[in-house]
Amino acid sequence: MNRRPLVIAAALAGAFAIAALALPNLPPNPVTNTLNDRFFKEKGRHFATAADAPTRGDLAFVLPSWIPKDATDVRVRVRTTGEARLIRFTLGKTPLDGPQCAVSAPKKAGGPRLNARWWPGDTRSEERPECRDRYQYQVAVRGRKVYAWTDGTPSPGARIPDGRPSLAPASAVPTGRR
């Protein structure tokens, strides 16, 4: 019996398994970005400052309005098939005024559905809900680093036509600020 096809199939299956485990942890480059987008349905961007992030165009990388414009080292990872998002940034001189949900009680969020090398993963005990944008975020602050994630849960009080969060600018969404 010829075992060569079985050996080749096993080698290929092993190579694909190793690639699937290693790919999310490799540094961003055109190859890993394409594979992440196509197979894992995720993509990421890095901005030197929050002011460098887009304000229109690819809405996946438009930052929530509560992130200070002088924040630096902004990293965003998004799910291309939904609204899940991870954000990490370093505070500048403008302090984060603290997560707020003033309109009503925040909805229960499941958990981050994305992974990134720069995400600590153990923020659950420190997270507070933030509801001043289209989506409800869970925010944890560690020193000058801020970690925020959303699974796409709409913020209480956000305008949601046809069951979808509005694409209106963040300034048009109730902020809950006092």
Side-chain angles (χ1 to χ4, degrees), residues 61-175:
F61 295 105
V62 173
L63 298 177
S65 60
W66 50 266
I67 295 179
K69 294 295 180 212
D70 65 344
T72 59
D73 191 25
V74 180
R75 296 185 182 275
V76 181
R77 183 126 185 118
V78 299
R79 169 103 38 225
T80 60
T81 58
E83 303 301 336
R85 199 187 277 198
L86 297 176
I87 301 173
R88 184 197 80 187
F89 59 92
T90 303
L91 288 171
K93 291 185 180 189
T94 306
L96 188 65
D97 58 359
Q100 299 178 28
C101 284
V103 176
S104 64
K107 297 173 180 148
K108 191 81 167 159
R113 296 181 183 152
L114 296 162
N115 292 308
R117 280 176 36 183
W118 43 264
W119 188 261
D122 60 346
T123 60
R124 293 295 277 182
S125 64
E126 305 162 60
E127 293 172 358
R128 301 293 177 261
E130 170 59 67
C131 302
R132 289 181 283 173
D133 210 68
R134 268 193 302 268
Y135 303 112
Q136 175 181 310
Y137 281 82
Q138 299 299 317
V139 180
V141 180
R142 291 184 173 174
R144 309 251 350 124
K145 294 274 188 213
V146 178
Y147 300 90
W149 65 268
T150 183
D151 60 2
T153 300
S155 286
R159 285 189 253 155
I160 307 169
D162 301 330
R164 300 269 313 149
S166 76
L167 297 178
S171 60
V173 176
T175 62

Side-chain angles (χ1 to χ4, degrees), residues 1-10:
M1 179 172 172
N2 187 3
R3 292 186 179 159
R4 181 175 280 180
L6 292 175
V7 171
I8 292 172

